Amino acid sequence: MATLITYSIIAIILLLLELTYFRIADKFNIIDKPNERSSHSSVVLRGGGVIFLFGAWIWSAFFGFHYPLFLAGLTIVCGISFWDDVRSLPDSVRLIAQFTAMFLMFAEFGILNWESWWIIILALIICVGIINAYNFMDGVNGITGGYSLAVLIPLMILNHSLHFIEMSYLVVAAIACVVFSYFNFRPKGKAKCFAGDVGSIGMAFIVLLPLGKLILQTGDFSYIILLVVYGVDTILTICHRIMLHENLGQAHRKHAYQLMANELHIPHEIVSLSYMAIQLIVSLGLIYISHWHWVYAIAAIVVLCAAYLIFMKKYYHLHAEYLQSLEG
């Protein structure tokens, strides 16, 4: 069993690697320039979320290469995402990398078989959708690191009794989140770095390994609500944009968290803490309800959808006015 000293050493290594990356990013001008989707107005170092990939490799080096196919998939998807952070790539290239990486994770799970080919394809589409949703939601300081901790903590609690993955994996992933958050979970304009696609997509991939193993071991798909807050915001925002006949490939600022940060001027750290707290409350409710998981999951989804719709009905007009001002 890993000791506190081991985890402390890993934390120091990750901190040094992050600081080293900052020097490299500064030298090669790897920066995040504000666009139509951004909730910031200043130039910030991009790709700080590469620390999540480093964390996975360091965990493997310290505790053994238990999941080589997963690690290969993570490296592929993070590599392409980092390249996309530096120099924009076509959507087709990114999707090919994401499906390839997810296929490798499924191979790690040992679930690939011809008899259930249609289920595998559906699951691949859902999982690739999840990692892209994670990326869509990375738009204010602290949200990726904070929300990921809100997912990892319930997974740790569940792992104590169900033992679906090595606890050290979850702890090291959480340490990487804390290290990154130290530089990112700050007021608007004061973040040292942003996660970039490499960070948001990489962390989504990292989270899907234990979540997938949990669902496969228990046969209980209701555990997917460990990601329900991101899921509701992403799906309903996409539906809203379809209703508005918008091009889904274009940058936008219509997510609920974006309206909070931009139109309502709620501090970034408060928005991120809110998403983190809501997800933790929902997840802990599921954990401590031993029966009726599906009833609870459906109720949670309904409540969150209702809250989203009420929020949009009350405040979306502010964003519409903002768009009109740009046209004027």
Side-chain angles (χ1 to χ4, degrees):
M1 186 174 180
T3 65
L4 180 60
I5 293 176
T6 302
Y7 290 134
S8 298
I9 292 172
I10 290 173
I12 292 170
I13 293 173
L14 288 174
L15 179 62
L16 292 175
L17 286 172
E18 187 76 307
L19 292 173
T20 301
Y21 172 73
F22 290 165
R23 295 176 66 88
I24 295 172
D26 187 53
K27 180 178 180 179
F28 291 97
N29 202 34
I30 305 174
I31 57 176
D32 191 295
K33 295 180 180 179
N35 58 29
E36 297 88 348
R37 176 177 173 269
S38 303
S39 296
H40 66 285
S41 56
S42 58
V43 174
V44 182
L45 294 179
R46 192 175 195 181
V50 72
I51 196 69
F52 304 144
L53 172 63
F54 295 160
W57 274 101
I58 289 171
W59 173 77
S60 298
F62 271 79
F63 299 99
F65 289 83
H66 300 287
Y67 307 114
L69 294 177
F70 159 79
L71 197 59
L74 177 64
T75 303
I76 290 171
V77 78
C78 285
I80 290 297
S81 297
F82 183 76
W83 189 0
D84 188 51
D85 284 332
V86 176
R87 184 175 182 178
S88 184
L89 293 173
D91 291 344
S92 57
V93 173
R94 291 188 284 111
L95 284 174
I96 289 172
Q98 291 167 11
F99 274 102
T100 300
M102 197 57 62
F103 186 86
L104 289 170
M105 185 188 290
F106 280 22
E108 193 74 75
F109 289 151
I111 60 174
L112 298 179
N113 61 79
W114 286 109
E115 291 77 11
S116 305
W117 63 270
W118 65 274
I119 298 178
I120 300 300
I121 292 176
L122 179 61
L124 281 171
I125 293 172
I126 291 173
C127 289
V128 169
I130 289 172
I131 64 176
N132 279 286
Y134 230 89
N135 188 32
F136 298 156
M137 296 298 294
D138 181 34
V140 294
N141 295 354
I143 198 165
T144 292
Y147 188 83
S148 298
L149 285 172
V151 176
L152 290 167
I153 291 170
L155 285 170
M156 290 180 193
I157 295 172
L158 287 164
N159 197 48
H160 272 295
S161 57
L162 298 175
H163 309 292
F164 50 88
I165 197 169
E166 291 79 5
M167 185 63 78
S168 58
Y169 173 91
L170 298 172
V171 174
V172 172
I175 290 172
C177 279
V178 171
V179 170
F180 169 73
S181 295
Y182 175 74
F183 298 103
N184 175 257
F185 209 140
R186 300 182 180 187
K188 181 181 178 181
K190 295 185 178 181
K192 174 69 175 178
C193 70
F194 292 150
D197 288 357
V198 64
S200 55
I201 290 177
M203 178 49 68
F205 200 80
I206 287 168
V207 165
L208 280 175
L209 176 67
L211 182 58
K213 288 177 71 66
L214 170 62
I215 291 172
L216 289 171
Q217 179 174 308
T218 61
D220 188 350
F221 190 72
S222 68
Y223 283 117
I224 196 67
I225 72 163
L226 295 180
L227 297 172
V228 71
V229 176
Y230 265 18
V232 166
D233 194 326
T234 298
I235 293 172
L236 291 186
T237 299
I238 290 173
C239 291
H240 186 195
R241 297 191 69 205
I242 291 174
M243 291 172 61
L244 294 173
H245 306 290
E246 292 186 354
N247 180 354
L248 298 181
Q250 289 184 343
H252 70 96
R253 299 197 326 191
K254 289 182 171 64
H255 285 288
Y257 78 87
Q258 291 171 319
L259 265 68
M260 292 177 188
N262 299 315
E263 278 69 34
L264 298 179
H265 306 292
I266 299 174
H268 285 206
E269 63 273 22
I270 300 302
V271 175
S272 298
L273 283 171
S274 298
Y275 272 69
M276 182 180 181
I278 294 170
Q279 184 60 71
L280 270 175
I281 291 169
V282 172
S283 298
L284 293 176
L286 181 72
I287 291 172
Y288 292 109
I289 291 177
S290 57
H291 302 292
W292 306 102
H293 273 192
W294 272 110
V295 174
Y296 177 85
I298 293 172
I301 292 171
V302 169
V303 170
L304 288 172
C305 286
Y308 175 95
L309 294 173
I310 293 170
F311 176 83
M312 284 296 175
K313 184 176 181 179
K314 185 173 183 179
Y315 295 113
Y316 181 73
H317 71 92
L318 297 174
H319 182 66
E321 292 168 3
Y322 161 75
L323 293 177
Q324 289 176 357
S325 69
L326 293 180
E327 294 174 358

